[in-house]
Amino acid sequence: MFRNSLSRGASAVALLFVIDAHTAFSQESLPTIDIGSAGAGDRTPRRAETRAPLDTVAPAASRLDLTPRQTPASVHVMTSDEMRERGFDQAQDAVAAFPGVIVGNNPISPTSYSMRGFTGNQITVLRDGVYLGPANFINRPANSFNVESVEVLKGAASLLHGQGAIGGVVDIRTKEPSFGPTRFDAFVNGGSFGTVNLGVGVGAQLSDDIAARLDVSRSRSSGFVKNAPSDSLNLTASMLWKPQENFSVKLGMDFLDDNMSPYYGTPLVPLPYARSPMTGVVTSSTGLALDQAMRFNNYNVGDALLATTQFMPTAHVVYKPTSEVTFTDDAYYFFADRKWQNAETYTFLGPNNGRTDALGNPIPAGTIARDRFYVYHDQHKLGNTLTMTVDRPILDFDNKFLLGADVNSTHFVRDRGFPSASIADYVDAWNPNQGTWGLYAGEWPIRRSPTRIDDYAALFEDVLTLRPDLKLVTGARYEFERLDRVNYNQNGTFSNTTSFRRNFHPFNFRVGMIYDVTKDISLYGQYTTAKDPIGSAIYVVNAAQNFNLSSSRQYEVGAKASFQDGKGEATLALYEIHRANILTQTTQNSASSIGSQMSRGVEASANFLITPQWKVSVNAAYTYARYGFFVDPATLVIGTGNRPPNVPTWTANLWTSYSNIADLPFDAGFGLRFVDSRAGNNANTLFLEGYVLADIGLTYHVTPGVDATFRVNNLFDKTYVNWAEVSYPGEVILGAPRSVTFGLTMKF
């Protein structure tokens, strides 16, 4: 099946791979590395040097300051300059440009990622290298203006960041202070659907040993469906104190306040009832379709709530007592207050359905039945990571190793409720009157579930140079994790049967080798392991029986190369991942194994220069993902051998740009994105059809440092499904139609 699937998809990707894009670069467009902001913060006057992405340190991949070329794994990095060039207003747009990654704009689990056959909490999301919690809880749309770079480490990576990293790690890193001249950044853009984005930032050296940076961004949109506005405010600030060359302290603050779009999806309807069925969007073996007449309707309540306020102060201390030894300490505190209060599930009901709403009223034909659900999160996390790095030969072999300890404690309170009736109310399928949240029997009082998780981890990483052209890269992480879950009944009494305490002892490791064929070509291989918790997140498990964590292992080989005198790069990776002992909650106080999952695939990317003005970047990925023995926990349908939802077989990306057209201060960029068909549920009775999106961008350099921009996304107005939430099978989330944006950026 692997060979047949390759041949079926190869022709679809071939054209894109010739012209597609990740982000090509010339000597002029290589990322600018600010020497003053590297590591602990060098006080040397700022100078710019060009360095290829393969040779730029990627903290998400290792704590040893390894570059992607030195790491036996797939590592992708996109800088703020590249994001600005492509017109990415949100950091997740950059992640979607990497090989084999798709992103779902899912309000149930905001900004969901899919890579290497895995989705949701099997992808670990970091903020400045800090693990804040399960991805489906903590992930939020991130304004790219505050971001310095986005890094992705593919595959099993619990060694570095603990439980949950099966398909990969996404690290969103904010801008930092640096010594040198004062720098000023600002932008504003606006366009379709009432969208407005703006930001302002400044970095300055305040004294001989103090530098600071402040960035503020704001975005808002009316949304492409009716009555679905969103807005966010992100403030990031940091200050670097470096009184000596061997000692520095960096203090930071990251604040976010947002209200996400209340668009939970467009309902699926039986084909005979669709007034204007969409074609080429979904395929259903049970006769379901999407109706064009419902395309821009919002079926949520009018006073829907999807809001977050969160902040994270941090402290980063570096002390280098000798040239061979470095101590690093990272301390942080994270607080988040999240609120969801919505009608989230939408089910089309035809004639003679025999259903009633929460008030006992019969539900007529041609209506959408809705539920009600609310959940509130109050999260506090306090953590500290202390490491010692030693760069000293061992038995005449160059060696660099790290020892560390990671300690953190999370206090998480979850309040939730929903009506006693499975259907709260209903609205007309084609002309919904959204109505209000209202109050229903069974919602109140709240059901409260405080959870405390204490985690203690020991870390080890090592790079041993066996020969000048051969390195052995190893690492291990042992954790002791204590989970204390308390549940209260709706009347406020303690629930003894569902409350429990449990200890976990996950151990994960990595073994890899890198062989430099030449100074520009490297081959690598690695074996890594990972662990992830029961169900959707360890924060909400209710299983009192003696369950364990699911385990995963990955095999990967690949190659990385530079060419065109360092102006071009290419990567190739082949991998296989096995995830066993997948657990799910079956009752309030029990859990059972529902199966296993595997994936294998190939990923390739290339960035090159055709002429001094014409850059091309291309990537493509093939993923074969299947369940082993598997039982869908929601429907109890056996899904053995089925494709996991939201995992395309083929993906490909292109970005190409031409600068100074006709010797004028005018640049143009063009992108294509191909996503193959995906399963929309575990039973594989619903498939989301493949699509190709085209984007164009034009930039006029008004003066040095000031650019006027014009961008069109989804140029050909393609209708497609962005994501399917398995828990809500009656609806799918559609992607945005064509949009136009005008903007102005300044950088001095």
Side-chain angles (χ1 to χ4, degrees):
M1 293 180 67
F2 184 80
R3 187 181 302 110
N4 292 340
S5 297
L6 274 171
S7 62
R8 286 197 301 268
S11 59
V13 173
L15 176 61
L16 284 175
F17 194 83
V18 172
I19 56 176
D20 195 339
H22 193 36
T23 306
F25 49 86
S26 64
Q27 186 68 25
E28 293 79 13
S29 65
L30 283 169
T32 298
I33 308 301
D34 184 350
I35 302 302
S37 63
D42 194 333
R43 287 163 55 192
T44 305
R46 193 168 70 94
R47 64 181 177 85
E49 77 175 24
T50 55
R51 187 177 299 168
L54 278 180
D55 297 313
T56 302
V57 171
S62 172
R63 299 179 188 272
L64 288 174
D65 293 334
L66 300 182
T67 66
R69 192 192 301 275
Q70 298 167 331
T71 305
S74 294
V75 184
H76 306 286
V77 180
M78 185 175 290
T79 66
S80 58
D81 288 340
E82 293 173 286
M83 286 184 271
R84 184 175 62 251
E85 178 188 4
R86 293 202 186 193
F88 292 158
D89 291 326
Q90 295 188 330
Q92 55 266 27
D93 297 331
V95 181
F98 295 139
V101 183
I102 67 169
V103 180
N105 298 314
N106 180 7
I108 303 155
S109 176
T111 312
S112 297
Y113 298 108
S114 172
M115 67 177 75
R116 292 201 169 179
F118 296 89
T119 59
N121 286 325
Q122 282 73 58
I123 312 297
T124 291
V125 178
L126 310 175
R127 185 77 169 181
D128 284 327
V130 177
Y131 174 76
L132 302 177
N136 68 335
F137 282 2
I138 61 94
N139 219 8
R140 313 297 290 189
N143 297 335
S144 63
F145 181 79
N146 300 71
V147 175
E148 181 58 38
S149 66
V150 174
E151 302 175 8
V152 170
L153 170 65
K154 298 284 190 64
S158 289
L159 153 74
L160 295 169
H161 307 293
Q163 54 91 13
I166 308 301
V169 175
V170 176
D171 190 3
I172 298 172
R173 308 193 70 86
T174 57
K175 295 177 179 177
E176 296 186 347
S178 61
F179 290 95
T182 298
R183 293 179 295 172
F184 175 79
D185 300 88
F187 91 108
V188 59
N189 66 38
S192 303
F193 321 127
T195 299
V196 176
N197 299 291
L198 54 90
V200 60
V202 61
Q205 181 171 336
L206 305 182
S207 68
D208 288 343
D209 54 11
I210 297 178
R213 172 116 201 146
L214 173 66
D215 295 277
V216 182
S217 65
R218 179 71 187 268
S219 67
R220 68 172 178 84
S221 175
S222 299
F224 68 88
V225 299
K226 299 175 182 176
N227 304 318
S230 63
D231 67 81
S232 72
L233 171 67
N234 189 199
L235 181 151
T236 53
S238 54
M239 182 179 69
L240 175 64
W241 176 49
K242 189 173 175 62
Q244 302 175 15
E245 290 301 318
N246 65 340
F247 179 76
S248 67
V249 178
K250 185 181 69 176
L251 303 178
M253 171 61 74
D254 189 347
F255 171 83
L256 173 69
D257 184 84
D258 72 2
N259 294 274
M260 295 188 303
S261 167
Y263 170 60
Y264 269 78
T266 300
L268 296 157
V269 301
L271 187 58
Y273 297 99
R275 297 180 178 179
S276 179
M278 297 183 189
T279 58
V281 182
V282 297
T283 300
S284 169
S285 61
T286 58
L288 298 176
L290 290 167
D291 192 340
Q292 181 64 40
M294 303 165 67
R295 169 76 172 92
F296 299 106
N297 288 341
N298 182 5
Y299 293 89
N300 206 337
V301 293
D303 54 352
L305 182 63
L306 298 91
T308 292
T309 299
Q310 65 182 45
F311 60 85
M312 181 173 68
T314 60
H316 175 71
V317 180
V318 178
Y319 175 54
K320 193 175 179 68
T322 73
S323 60
E324 297 176 332
V325 179
T326 303
F327 291 95
T328 302
D329 188 81
D330 288 285
Y332 62 90
Y333 169 73
F334 177 70
F335 166 77
D337 176 38
R338 312 181 190 98
K339 296 181 176 67
W340 286 266
Q341 189 168 295
N342 303 275
E344 299 186 358
T345 63
Y346 315 134
T347 305
F348 180 88
L349 296 179
N352 304 317
N353 58 74
R355 307 296 295 276
T356 59
D357 64 13
L359 301 179
N361 301 314
I363 299 180
T367 56
I368 300 296
R370 307 189 300 186
D371 70 345
R372 292 291 191 277
F373 180 68
Y374 73 85
V375 61
Y376 308 143
H377 292 174
D378 183 80
Q379 180 182 352
H380 302 258
K381 184 171 185 178
L382 182 66
N384 190 86
T385 303
L386 175 65
T387 64
M388 177 184 69
T389 303
V390 179
D391 191 351
R392 176 182 298 171
I394 295 180
L395 298 176
D396 295 327
F397 295 100
D398 288 343
N399 188 77
K400 187 176 184 180
F401 73 88
L402 175 145
L403 294 175
D406 185 3
V407 179
N408 61 80
S409 181
T410 299
H411 294 255
F412 177 75
V413 179
R414 180 174 180 252
D415 298 330
R416 75 248 186 237
F418 43 83
S420 300
S422 59
I423 297 176
D425 65 354
Y426 59 89
V427 294
D428 184 89
W430 292 276
N431 297 289
N433 178 10
Q434 288 184 263
T436 60
W437 165 256
L439 293 177
Y440 295 88
E443 284 182 330
W444 307 96
I446 60 177
R447 290 189 294 171
R448 173 157 292 185
S449 298
T451 299
R452 175 169 176 168
I453 302 174
D454 296 317
D455 192 284
Y456 308 88
L459 319 173
F460 169 76
E461 286 190 71
D462 184 82
V463 179
L464 178 64
T465 303
L466 301 174
R467 299 186 333 200
D469 58 356
L470 184 64
K471 291 182 173 62
L472 174 66
V473 181
T474 58
R477 179 188 182 100
Y478 171 78
E479 293 182 74
F480 172 77
E481 192 169 39
R482 181 169 52 233
L483 170 65
D484 190 346
R485 179 74 189 275
V486 179
N487 287 317
Y488 292 94
N489 298 314
Q490 199 163 8
N491 60 10
T493 60
F494 174 72
S495 175
N496 184 60
T497 58
T498 62
S499 301
F500 70 101
R501 293 178 178 175
R502 182 80 168 88
N503 295 334
F504 303 93
H505 306 271
F507 173 75
N508 293 285
F509 64 93
R510 170 170 70 186
V511 177
M513 298 196 76
I514 304 170
Y515 173 60
D516 297 327
V517 181
T518 69
K519 67 179 182 66
D520 295 322
I521 301 175
S522 300
L523 304 178
Y524 72 88
Q526 69 156 339
Y527 175 81
T528 55
T529 67
K531 298 289 191 301
D532 67 312
I534 182 174
S536 63
I538 201 167
Y539 285 11
V540 297
V541 296
N542 272 328
Q545 71 179 47
N546 192 30
F547 63 88
N548 208 335
L549 300 177
S550 299
S551 60
S552 301
R553 64 186 189 276
Q554 175 186 258
Y555 310 87
E556 180 177 347
V557 296
K560 303 174 184 182
S562 300
F563 51 89
Q564 291 184 322
D565 295 326
K567 300 174 186 177
E569 294 181 350
T571 64
L572 175 69
L574 295 85
Y575 66 87
E576 183 166 301
I577 302 175
H578 294 266
R579 181 178 178 226
N581 192 31
I582 301 175
L583 298 167
T584 192
Q585 178 184 331
T586 53
T587 68
Q588 282 194 322
N589 60 354
S590 66
S592 65
S593 176
I594 58 171
S596 60
Q597 184 177 344
M598 67 80 63
S599 65
R600 65 172 69 100
V602 182
E603 299 168 347
S605 67
N607 308 314
F608 50 95
L609 189 68
I610 297 178
T611 72
Q613 294 171 286
W614 186 10
K615 303 177 297 180
V616 176
S617 177
V618 56
N619 67 61
Y622 168 83
T623 305
Y624 176 87
R626 293 293 185 273
Y627 288 122
F629 173 75
F630 184 81
V631 179
D632 187 326
T635 63
L636 300 183
V637 171
I638 295 177
T640 302
N642 286 355
R643 292 168 57 178
N646 296 305
V647 177
T649 302
W650 284 95
T651 62
N653 290 289
L654 165 110
W655 178 256
T656 182
S657 64
Y658 197 94
S659 60
N660 300 116
I661 298 173
D663 292 327
L664 297 174
F666 184 72
D667 303 341
F670 175 72
L672 287 175
R673 176 161 177 77
F674 168 70
V675 176
D676 203 359
S677 65
R678 298 149 287 152
N681 55 25
N682 286 320
N684 285 188
T685 58
L686 177 71
F687 274 85
L688 321 175
E689 294 298 323
Y691 58 88
V692 176
L693 301 180
D695 303 323
I696 61 170
L698 305 175
T699 300
Y700 179 72
H701 304 290
V702 181
T703 64
V706 179
D707 296 333
T709 61
F710 169 76
R711 184 172 179 85
V712 181
N713 290 328
N714 195 358
L715 178 64
F716 302 112
D717 203 21
K718 174 66 177 177
T719 301
Y720 65 100
V721 175
N722 171 263
W723 197 261
E725 174 54 48
V726 176
S727 302
Y728 295 171
E731 68 233 49
V732 293
I733 298 172
L734 295 174
R738 179 171 50 233
S739 63
V740 178
T741 304
F742 297 88
L744 191 68
T745 65
M746 291 168 282
K747 189 171 185 178
F748 303 105

